[in-house]
Amino acid sequence: MFSQQQDNMEVTALCTKLLLIVMMLLCEQDHKVNAASLLIHPNRAQFFVYEAITFYCEGVSYCEIVHESKGQISSCNKTNKRTSTGSSCTITNVYTDDSGKYWFDAEGGNKSNSVNIIVSDGSVILEIPALPVMKGETVTLRCRNKTTSSQILAHFYHYGEWIISSSTGNMIMYNVSKSDEGLYKCNNSGAGESAESWLIIKDGQTETVSFPCKETVVFSPSFNPWIISTVLFAVLLVFVGLLHFVRSYWHRVVSAPRSESGSTGNQTGFGERAD
């Protein structure tokens, strides 16, 4: 009897461990898939007309880019490709009316981060990161002239105030901090001035995910880890049940001869006393 109770306790403990493992795996998957973010290549906020832009939709299987005024970009959807971390699409030729804010819609009504770009038909643009830069990193701003690839004399401005002039056309910012955040533009003598774009600085803090999982979960249509984990857990429960049945049956088989031998011995003893 004690051995059977011990077996039941072991089975219960095993089931509990399996359940915790499955839930932890689901939490880890939720954390990975929840990281639905929009990336851009090349990573800059300003472009000349007719240049190409590739959007990377991290965490989703199909990249449906949305423009703040145009809605879904059909030309981008035609170039949709799967990547190792999600999907991507490319606008092969951009125009001035492609300027604005972009994002993609994930499942569950969630939106990715947004990216702002400016498309210029002028002669000068400022190559500045479109995506946030981590605090402490080195950032290079480049004043680019459409008509030449050689080095140019450029003047850089922060919130409209001159900060530096560079004969190479580049401004290097070391160990950036929140004070470096803001609107930047550049001017190339004789060629013109760029538009203003934001430089965003992140403080480097990462989001922590605690157990249990977050309630909001975003999954791609082609993969649902909850279904797979449920099936896996059901198979494990069947396996544990069969194991418990076999051990109980084996326990009864082993115990039966002992009971019979004990009963036979008692009968023989009474017979001898009767003689």
Side-chain angles (χ1 to χ4, degrees), residues 151-185:
Q151 295 181 347
I152 59 173
L153 175 63
H155 312 284
F156 293 88
Y157 301 83
H158 186 213
Y159 287 119
E161 295 185 3
W162 174 85
I163 49 176
I164 194 174
S165 295
S166 170
S167 60
T168 63
N170 298 331
M171 183 180 80
I172 303 176
M173 306 167 64
Y174 299 97
N175 193 25
V176 294
S177 63
K178 292 294 288 185
S179 62
D180 295 313
E181 194 171 65
L183 283 170
Y184 288 83
K185 68 178 181 179

Side-chain angles (χ1 to χ4, degrees), residues 13 49 62 73 111 118 125 132 137 159 168 198 201 205-206 208 216 224 230 249 270:
V49 290
Y62 192 82
I73 307 300
K111 290 183 179 180
I118 296 174
I125 62 171
E137 290 187 350
Y159 287 119
T168 63
W198 272 92
I201 310 296
Q205 293 181 354
T206 57
T208 58
T216 303
N224 192 332
T230 301
Y249 178 77
F270 284 120

Side-chain angles (χ1 to χ4, degrees), residues 121-170:
D121 57 359
S123 300
V124 178
I125 62 171
L126 175 65
E127 293 190 349
I128 183 173
L131 299 172
V133 177
M134 299 297 291
K135 180 180 177 181
E137 290 187 350
T138 298
V139 179
T140 299
L141 306 186
R142 179 189 177 198
C143 197
R144 181 179 164 198
N145 189 324
K146 186 179 182 178
T147 59
T148 179
S149 58
S150 59
Q151 295 181 347
I152 59 173
L153 175 63
H155 312 284
F156 293 88
Y157 301 83
H158 186 213
Y159 287 119
E161 295 185 3
W162 174 85
I163 49 176
I164 194 174
S165 295
S166 170
S167 60
T168 63
N170 298 331

Side-chain angles (χ1 to χ4, degrees), residues 75-232:
S75 61
C76 192
N77 293 339
K78 294 178 182 179
T79 59
N80 226 291
K81 296 179 181 180
R82 291 295 300 268
T83 66
S84 59
T85 56
S87 55
S88 70
C89 70
T90 301
I91 302 177
T92 53
N93 292 286
V94 292
Y95 301 92
T96 54
D97 62 350
D98 290 317
S99 300
K101 183 186 298 185
Y102 290 83
W103 69 86
F104 70 87
D105 293 324
E107 289 189 3
N110 296 322
K111 290 183 179 180
S112 71
N113 60 296
S114 60
V115 175
N116 282 283
I117 67 168
I118 296 174
V119 181
S120 173
D121 57 359
S123 300
V124 178
I125 62 171
L126 175 65
E127 293 190 349
I128 183 173
L131 299 172
V133 177
M134 299 297 291
K135 180 180 177 181
E137 290 187 350
T138 298
V139 179
T140 299
L141 306 186
R142 179 189 177 198
C143 197
R144 181 179 164 198
N145 189 324
K146 186 179 182 178
T147 59
T148 179
S149 58
S150 59
Q151 295 181 347
I152 59 173
L153 175 63
H155 312 284
F156 293 88
Y157 301 83
H158 186 213
Y159 287 119
E161 295 185 3
W162 174 85
I163 49 176
I164 194 174
S165 295
S166 170
S167 60
T168 63
N170 298 331
M171 183 180 80
I172 303 176
M173 306 167 64
Y174 299 97
N175 193 25
V176 294
S177 63
K178 292 294 288 185
S179 62
D180 295 313
E181 194 171 65
L183 283 170
Y184 288 83
K185 68 178 181 179
C186 71
N187 181 286
N188 175 219
S189 300
E193 189 174 79
S194 73
E196 285 186 315
S197 289
W198 272 92
L199 177 66
I200 304 173
I201 310 296
K202 293 179 64 176
D203 59 9
Q205 293 181 354
T206 57
E207 180 183 6
T208 58
V209 180
S210 58
F211 187 85
C213 306
K214 292 181 178 179
E215 292 182 359
T216 303
V217 185
V218 181
F219 296 114
S220 63
S222 59
F223 178 73
N224 192 332
W226 284 100
I227 296 177
I228 295 177
S229 300
T230 301
V231 173
L232 176 61

Side-chain angles (χ1 to χ4, degrees), residues 260-275:
E260 292 177 0
S261 61
S263 176
T264 303
N266 291 335
Q267 293 176 2
T268 304
F270 284 120
E272 290 176 352
R273 292 189 186 95
D275 292 339

Side-chain angles (χ1 to χ4, degrees), residues 5-78:
Q5 290 179 347
Q6 186 177 11
D7 291 343
N8 291 335
M9 292 176 63
E10 291 178 357
V11 172
T12 302
L14 179 58
C15 289
T16 303
K17 289 180 180 180
L18 292 174
L19 178 61
L20 289 175
I21 291 173
V22 171
M23 292 183 68
M24 290 176 66
L25 290 175
L26 287 173
C27 284
E28 182 179 356
Q29 179 66 27
D30 290 352
H31 175 66
K32 291 180 180 179
V33 179
N34 270 326
S37 60
L38 177 63
L39 307 179
I40 185 175
H41 179 78
N43 178 20
R44 49 188 168 93
Q46 296 187 20
F47 294 83
F48 289 121
V49 290
Y50 310 125
E51 288 191 301
I53 305 175
T54 299
F55 296 96
Y56 290 90
C57 302
E58 303 294 289
V60 296
S61 60
Y62 192 82
C63 193
E64 293 183 339
I65 295 298
V66 179
H67 185 267
E68 60 180 338
S69 60
K70 293 182 176 182
Q72 288 192 1
I73 307 300
S74 57
S75 61
C76 192
N77 293 339
K78 294 178 182 179

